[in-house]
Amino acid sequence: MLTFVGLGLYDLGDISVKGLNYVKNADAVFLEAYTSRLMGTDVPGMEAFFGAEIRVLAREDVEEDPHEILDRAAEGRVAFLTGGDPMVSTTHADLRMRAAAAGIETSIIHASSISSAVCGLSGLQNYRFGKSCSVPFPAKGWFPTAPVETVTANLALSLHTLVYLDIQKDRYMRVPEAIAILEEMAEKRGVEPPALYVGIARAGSEHPVVRAGTGAKLKETEFGPPLHILVVPAELHPMERDYLEIFAGL
């Protein structure tokens, strides 16, 4: 049995009671640590909380060589932990399909997700979001512009864009960096950069930071520690504008 267990947004208090009970009674516990991370705890803290040893997985462990996960799930109860909600990431959907192909029973225990938390924190209406995108750290000889193309296409349809920021082993992209990269992408593509952004830091914590404004304004804003996420809003509904003025300093 392979059960995908969402951990929620920020710390150990975000997991559901159902998820907690499953993890405590699992025969093996794996933690996927490359799509998102809980910044309000760490692996030793999780092991103490769950009373279980946790095997931390890199991307290649899940996408290229998941035999250890599947072998253990064929024999007993396996908890596959993820930040946020488990099935927001396509890499997890792929693992579930591999398990099904191997005749392994699967299930999902959902949790809070950044995709819904952003709406609550920003006041941007969830049905007005278009395709999301991710901004990676540029590398030598590699500077993709697909993210700004997604943003531009959404804006043409009056849709907001949720922009995920790169997470690497030893660094986390922050809102000011992401805006600077998007502006450079816009310049390379010969399009106007977005006029308005909403930056959010540490969603799910007791004191998240939510700020709205121009690129120039948010690049000078101190958002504090990660994780950060960015939204490029389309034309605002009056209620969205009022919400951002009250809660995000627009």
Side-chain angles (χ1 to χ4, degrees):
M1 176 74 170
L2 175 60
T3 298
F4 296 80
V5 182
L7 295 173
L9 295 170
Y10 186 72
D11 60 24
L12 291 169
D14 288 339
I15 192 171
S16 68
V17 174
K18 184 186 296 184
L20 177 61
N21 288 337
Y22 188 90
V23 177
K24 284 182 172 291
N25 291 285
D27 298 309
V29 182
F30 295 90
L31 171 66
E32 180 271 278
Y34 58 88
T35 59
S36 184
R37 295 176 190 172
L38 299 191
M39 303 307 291
T41 187
D42 55 19
V43 173
M46 290 183 190
E47 290 181 325
F49 184 72
F50 295 131
E53 181 181 353
I54 296 176
R55 163 89 153 81
V56 180
L57 303 169
R59 182 180 293 273
E60 56 270 20
D61 297 322
V62 179
E63 296 184 349
E64 299 174 16
D65 189 21
H67 74 273
E68 181 181 0
I69 306 166
L70 299 178
D71 288 349
R72 295 298 300 271
E75 299 171 354
R77 291 162 54 94
V78 168
F80 183 89
L81 310 182
T82 75
D85 184 83
M87 289 302 150
V88 171
S89 175
T90 55
T91 185
H92 305 150
D94 177 71
L95 179 61
R96 190 182 187 202
M97 290 189 290
R98 291 193 195 200
I104 298 168
E105 185 180 358
T106 65
S107 65
I108 305 168
I109 300 177
H110 295 284
S112 53
S113 167
I114 191 62
S115 59
S116 57
V118 158
C119 298
L121 290 169
S122 68
L124 299 173
Q125 296 160 356
N126 67 336
Y127 60 85
R128 294 196 59 211
F129 278 78
K131 180 182 177 181
S132 61
C133 62
S134 300
V135 174
F137 284 110
K140 185 177 180 180
W142 182 71
F143 190 83
T145 59
V148 81
E149 294 167 19
T150 297
V151 169
T152 301
N154 283 341
L155 289 175
L157 297 171
S158 194
L159 296 174
H160 308 317
T161 308
L162 182 61
V163 182
Y164 294 96
L165 308 189
D166 199 1
I167 296 174
Q168 296 187 358
K169 184 177 180 180
D170 56 354
R171 61 176 176 167
Y172 304 87
M173 186 178 291
R174 305 189 183 221
V175 166
E177 292 175 278
I179 292 173
I181 292 171
L182 280 173
E183 289 177 341
E184 186 175 352
M185 289 178 182
E187 183 178 358
K188 286 183 177 293
R189 295 297 299 173
V191 299
E192 288 294 316
L196 179 66
Y197 298 90
V198 179
I200 297 173
R202 297 174 304 286
S205 70
E206 292 186 8
H207 302 289
V209 173
V210 186
R211 297 288 183 270
T214 64
K217 175 183 175 181
L218 294 199
K219 283 191 291 186
E220 298 300 320
T221 299
E222 176 52 58
F223 283 88
L227 295 174
H228 293 189
I229 197 160
L230 186 66
V231 183
V232 178
E235 183 178 354
L236 297 172
H237 181 278
M239 184 175 289
E240 292 176 316
R241 180 171 293 278
D242 288 347
Y243 197 102
L244 286 172
E245 288 175 351
I246 295 169
F247 296 109
L250 180 63

